[in-house]
Amino acid sequence: MRLRNIPGADDVIAGCPYVIQDGKAMKGRHQESFQCSQPIYIEIGMGKGKFLYELAKQNPAINFIGIERYSSVLLRAIQKMDEEPLENLKFLCMDARELSEVFAPEEVDRIYLNFSDPWPKDRHAKRRLPSREFLDRYDSILKKEGRLEFKTDNRELFEFALEELPFANWKAEAVTYDLHNDEEMCKGNIMTEYEERFSAKGNPIYKYIIYR
Ligand code: SAM
């Protein structure tokens, strides 16, 4: 995402009705941000929000919250909502390290991670969104029967993500090393921006669905 430091991005976000302005104040009350009280699905590291926008459009009976750390990236998702707003989609500009300060236990029904930053250096492993440290954070906000879905084209990151599961007491429900040629797992697949870019280059897409 080469969209850092767009002047005025913070001001746009501060006045934006699609953005939950004070995530910590909404802990345990995120349903109040939406017109209907219904399950909450979140995507962490949403980028420009293509995947979540399409998912929200297809699923009006679910409330979606897109989480993105950089306001200048989130701006693109806001522009899409300006063109065609969806009642069941909101955004949070925050670092996912603070998830348990923003969501109450079991407030979230499903979590999506798509093409998370790889942080290839070993000393940065804790920053990877599928690391055991982040799995513990997800555990603290996800419903007991909730699922987490992760897609990437980065083989090393995917192997790492699978190896982390037992350390955080998660289990794989479904795993594929070639999502686009896996009829069952690809059913209803919505491509993310990065997925379109990397699958067009011929990269296989890896995906798991996990639970605990
Ligand atoms: N999910 C999108 C896709 O598949 O097209 C974007 C992928 S992009 C490689 C990763 C995004 O995750 C970036 O926009 C980055 O700013 C965001 N991100 C990375 N770490 C994050 C964190 N700890 N909290 C919130 N967002 C994060």
Side-chain angles (χ1 to χ4, degrees), residues 20-35:
I20 299 167
Q21 298 295 339
D22 186 349
K24 290 180 186 172
M26 295 306 290
K27 181 172 177 173
R29 302 194 292 126
H30 281 285
Q31 295 290 2
E32 292 174 25
S33 298
F34 297 93
Q35 291 197 345

Side-chain angles (χ1 to χ4, degrees), residues 3 21 27 35-36 44-47 52 78 81 89 95 98 103 111 114 118 130 140 167 175 179 185 200-201 211:
L3 278 174
Q21 298 295 339
K27 181 172 177 173
Q35 291 197 345
C36 303
I44 300 168
M46 166 194 69
L52 206 62
I78 289 172
M81 284 282 273
L89 176 60
D95 192 312
E98 299 192 328
F103 292 96
I111 298 175
N114 290 316
S140 74
F167 293 103
V175 178
L179 175 64
M185 284 188 77
K201 287 184 180 173
Y211 68 103

